[in-house]
Amino acid sequence: EAQVTQNPRYLITVTGKKLTVTCSQNMNHEYMSWYRQDPGLGLRQIYYSMNVEVTDKGDVPEGYKVSRKEKRNFPLILESPSPNQTSLYFCASSLRGGQGFNYGYTFGSGTRLTVV
Amino acid sequence: GENVEQHPSTLSVQEGDSAVIKCTYSDSASNYFPWYKQELGKRPQLIIDIRSNVGEKKDQRIAVTLNKTAKHFSLHITETQPEDSAVYFCAAITGNQFYFGTGTSLTVIP
């Protein structure tokens, strides 16, 4: 089944403790992205990747890191989480960027992160 | 970058009535406009989309219209049903980035 898989689904952590949220897709998609969703603010893009070893900042990249060493995986790293990073996070992938979005944009199931 | 505004933020309609959600965008280079439905606790799911060279698209009870000159597009849901209750997001794509609206929480009252 074609899908985007995020882990974990729920995570509670303490301020300053490094964490990684994994994202994997099995559709051979070139484009992958991370969003955070907060009430009243919609979905805001954190980082995106056009292909292996190619990443770019989205609208809210501060406090986050990403890597794209393999085509299927795009982990989100919070090196020193803070309470303002408490949010619902979604990974998404598409065949490619630009015109490739016309072929669909698939979201993962989400990761609800709480930083205390 | 692109700025997408979405209105209203909440909308309640009686079952069977129509619902309309409107979005405006700022970047004339935006060329693809999808709409997503997000049920409580679930991921956003694409429900309909429109490309910049098309003015209107319909899929059963759902339709989207696009006015490129005015830079706005709208989602129309006819004969609403309780299962249409959800949060709806519009988006505009410019280059390689998605820009989402802030969402509309639609409640269909039986």
Side-chain angles (χ1 to χ4, degrees):
Chain A
E1 179 188 353
Q3 59 187 356
V4 177
T5 303
Q6 285 180 237
N7 280 295
R9 289 294 307 277
Y10 301 93
L11 179 59
I12 300 174
T13 190
V14 296
T15 299
K17 185 177 181 181
K18 182 179 178 180
L19 66 90
T20 299
V21 183
T22 63
C23 175
S24 180
Q25 49 90 8
N26 62 359
M27 297 168 281
N28 201 36
H29 283 175
E30 292 182 355
Y31 185 99
M32 297 185 74
S33 183
W34 277 102
Y35 295 87
R36 62 177 289 173
Q37 184 176 16
D38 302 290
L41 297 177
L43 289 144
R44 293 179 294 167
Q45 192 171 44
I46 303 170
Y47 271 94
Y48 64 98
S49 170
M50 297 292 293
N51 212 325
V52 176
E53 301 293 0
V54 180
T55 62
D56 281 294
K57 295 178 180 179
D59 294 323
V60 289
E62 294 77 20
Y64 304 94
K65 285 178 59 177
V66 292
S67 68
R68 189 88 183 275
K69 293 184 172 59
E70 304 167 283
K71 198 171 188 179
R72 64 183 291 124
N73 296 323
F74 190 46
L76 179 69
I77 303 157
L78 285 73
E79 298 224 324
S80 184
S82 63
N84 65 11
Q85 292 178 297
T86 293
S87 187
L88 178 60
Y89 291 85
F90 285 100
C91 181
S93 74
S94 178
L95 183 62
R96 60 182 187 275
Q99 293 295 316
F101 291 129
N102 294 349
Y103 298 97
Y105 199 37
T106 305
F107 284 86
S109 298
T111 296
R112 186 164 292 281
L113 172 65
T114 302
V115 184
V116 298
Chain B
E2 173 68 281
N3 180 40
V4 178
E5 295 190 358
Q6 183 172 346
H7 299 280
S9 57
T10 59
L11 179 61
S12 292
V13 299
Q14 290 291 137
E15 182 176 357
D17 287 350
S18 295
V20 180
I21 303 170
K22 299 181 179 180
C23 288
T24 61
Y25 62 99
S26 60
D27 191 340
S28 57
S30 291
N31 56 14
Y32 175 58
F33 306 93
W35 285 88
Y36 289 84
K37 176 183 180 183
Q38 187 179 28
E39 296 175 345
L40 191 63
K42 297 192 175 180
R43 74 191 80 188
Q45 301 264 24
L46 178 70
I47 55 171
I48 195 167
D49 56 10
I50 191 167
R51 294 170 179 73
S52 59
N53 59 349
V54 175
E56 183 174 356
K57 182 177 179 180
K58 189 173 182 180
D59 182 3
Q60 299 183 334
R61 298 186 296 109
I62 296 173
V64 57
T65 58
L66 171 66
N67 183 326
K68 284 175 56 180
T69 303
K71 295 196 186 73
H72 68 70
F73 55 113
S74 300
L75 177 71
H76 305 254
I77 306 174
T78 59
E79 301 171 22
T80 53
Q81 300 168 2
E83 53 265 37
D84 293 330
S85 295
V87 178
Y88 292 81
F89 291 97
C90 63
I93 284 69
T94 305
N96 296 312
Q97 285 188 261
F98 259 69
Y99 296 91
F100 286 89
T102 51
T104 296
S105 179
L106 173 64
T107 301
V108 179
I109 305 165

